[in-house]
Amino acid sequence: MTADDQTRANGGMGATGRSIPLMGRDSEPTIFELSAPGRRAASFRTTDVPEWPAEDLLPAGLLREEPLDIAEVSERDLVGHVTRLSHRQYSVDLGAYPLGSCTMKYNPKLCDDAASLPGFTNAHPATPEGWTQGWLELLADLDARLCAITGMAAATLQPPAGAAGELTGLLLMRAWHAEQGGRERTKIVIPDSAHGTNPASVTLGGYETVTVPSDDRGCVDLGALRERLDDDVAGIMLTNPNTLGLFEEDIAEIAAATHEVGGLLYYDGANLNAILGVTRPGDMGFDIVHMNLHKTFAVPHGGGGPGAGPVAVGRRLVDFLPGPRPVRGDSGWSWQTPPKSIGRVHSWHGNALALVRAYSYILASGGDGLQRVAERAVLNANWLRHRLRGVYDVPFDRPNMHEFVASTGSLKRSSGLRAVDVAKRLLEEGFHAPTTYFPLIVEEALMIEPTETESLQTLEALASALERIAASPEDAAAAPRTTPVGRVDEARAARRLVPTFDARAADESDRLS
Ligand SMILES: *Cc1c(COP(=O)(O)O)cnc(C)c1O
């Protein structure tokens, strides 16, 4: 037994010398408090290979003089620490997570199984094409299936998130317009209900945002849109259903009007789960579509791992797609870059296993299964809206898609109950909060997306909890009281960053500001 093995076997409570209550509030020490010199969580087999002096491997100027100041802990203490931390966290695996727009559905373990196969995990991104034919075929088949689902001609799997897909889409618009010639177009139209990444991507893509208001039904105001459309407009970005969970019924007119002035239509696919197998962005007139595989196709996200935001395009934009893409030739699959490509938008394929998860989800569900996903997501959201009307305001109280927006507007005026209080109090009831204060056009917004993975019993429990919360606003104002961390002053936490847990440093920082 080596000394390291002994440390591992000893376990215990690290250097703190005190016992740590399992679920108590604020009782978990930091990893540095658990640290004791010489402890290790990993040990290496001794070999007869001589140790090279560091000076022979790296120029002397690049070598550290002092060892790195990192925590030294045994494996036993490390596992205890991260397991206790994981118990203080709400997660998709723990229970319902009705965070609107984000689609926090349960992620089947089957997809993790597929992504753990050694043939996938052992491939290096630089492995020659000849040795990764299976990988390339998988990527090409995923590309084809995503195109079948969205009604588009070809896709790039490179963008690692929805927001990265948006920027890719805007660069595609720019390249396409440049080829058409004429005066440079400078504007992108976005509805006032849009997700914050849309205008941010527009700015990053070098365009100017023009906002179009929603009408009193919560959809794009068609008259206001026509006033904004001219030959300075490069395109419009929409999500359909929109962030109020409402289907843009005028989408055919919106598409025709935008195309008439020479603009392109970009589909923000974050809400694609509402229409899977029922209708397709391509059929609605969209030219460019991003998908959030981590929302619609059950890839863990929100701290659960890398996302994926493939972008699919209509026929006239295929040659501009980022490269390289897997293409089949006489001698098998190879990487090729489209003739007028905008270039790479992501180096290598660091998120490739997210693509495997989405691919296995699509294959395991099948076409009929994907359609059932959409139908149940919509049914669950409508059931919940129906159940909660009369308890909370529902500003657009008509049949919705996979999510709906409630509000504590009237409750705030009568009893002081705010959206944030509902969110905090729900944690005590064992549920994650809905999205709050978004979309911006609804005061005290609670954007609720139950997803298709929750049962009727869970929906009942969530609705009952929301009813109890509305009935006792004083309780909600004090919540959460049963979670490891109580209500923090978020503005203060964001403004006064304290890079250490040292209480004296925190006091000092308070005194200075
Ligand atoms: C989540 C989301 C995005 C951004 O996607 P990321 O993958 O988080 O970058 C864009 N639009 C809407 C409507 C979204 O819900």
Side-chain angles (χ1 to χ4, degrees), residues 159-170 195-198 200-202 204 237 266 268 290-292 294-295 308-309 311:
E166 291 171 24
L167 179 60
T168 304
L170 289 157
H195 193 265
T197 51
N198 293 180
S201 300
V202 167
L204 209 56
M237 294 178 91
Y266 182 91
D268 174 336
H290 90 243
M291 286 146 275
N292 304 67
H294 45 287
K295 294 180 183 175
V311 170

Side-chain angles (χ1 to χ4, degrees), residues 204-323:
L204 209 56
Y207 286 109
E208 183 193 323
T209 299
V210 176
T211 307
V212 59
S214 305
D215 60 18
D216 52 12
R217 284 171 54 75
C219 291
V220 168
D221 183 327
L222 203 54
L225 174 65
R226 289 191 203 280
E227 283 165 21
R228 284 160 179 74
L229 288 176
D230 56 31
D231 54 11
D232 282 336
V233 170
I236 179 169
M237 294 178 91
L238 287 179
T239 179
N240 194 18
N242 65 23
T243 60
L244 294 164
L246 301 171
F247 194 83
E248 293 284 355
E249 290 153 359
D250 293 332
I251 188 59
E253 282 87 347
I254 294 173
T258 306
H259 284 149
E260 205 164 293
V261 297
L264 295 172
L265 276 87
Y266 182 91
Y267 183 88
D268 174 336
N271 296 333
L272 187 67
N273 57 323
I275 60 166
L276 287 175
V278 180
T279 181
R280 309 186 301 174
D283 302 335
M284 299 177 205
F286 284 93
D287 303 286
I288 308 171
V289 175
H290 90 243
M291 286 146 275
N292 304 67
L293 298 190
H294 45 287
K295 294 180 183 175
T296 308
F297 299 101
V299 177
H301 66 128
V311 170
V313 296
R315 204 156 298 285
R316 53 188 174 155
L317 287 153
V318 172
D319 286 347
F320 297 93
L321 280 174

Side-chain angles (χ1 to χ4, degrees), residues 29-51:
T30 66
I31 192 81
F32 289 96
E33 288 170 311
L34 290 171
S35 173
R39 291 208 178 145
R40 293 286 179 274
S43 57
F44 298 97
R45 192 185 287 266
T46 44
T47 72
D48 54 3
V49 178
E51 203 170 298

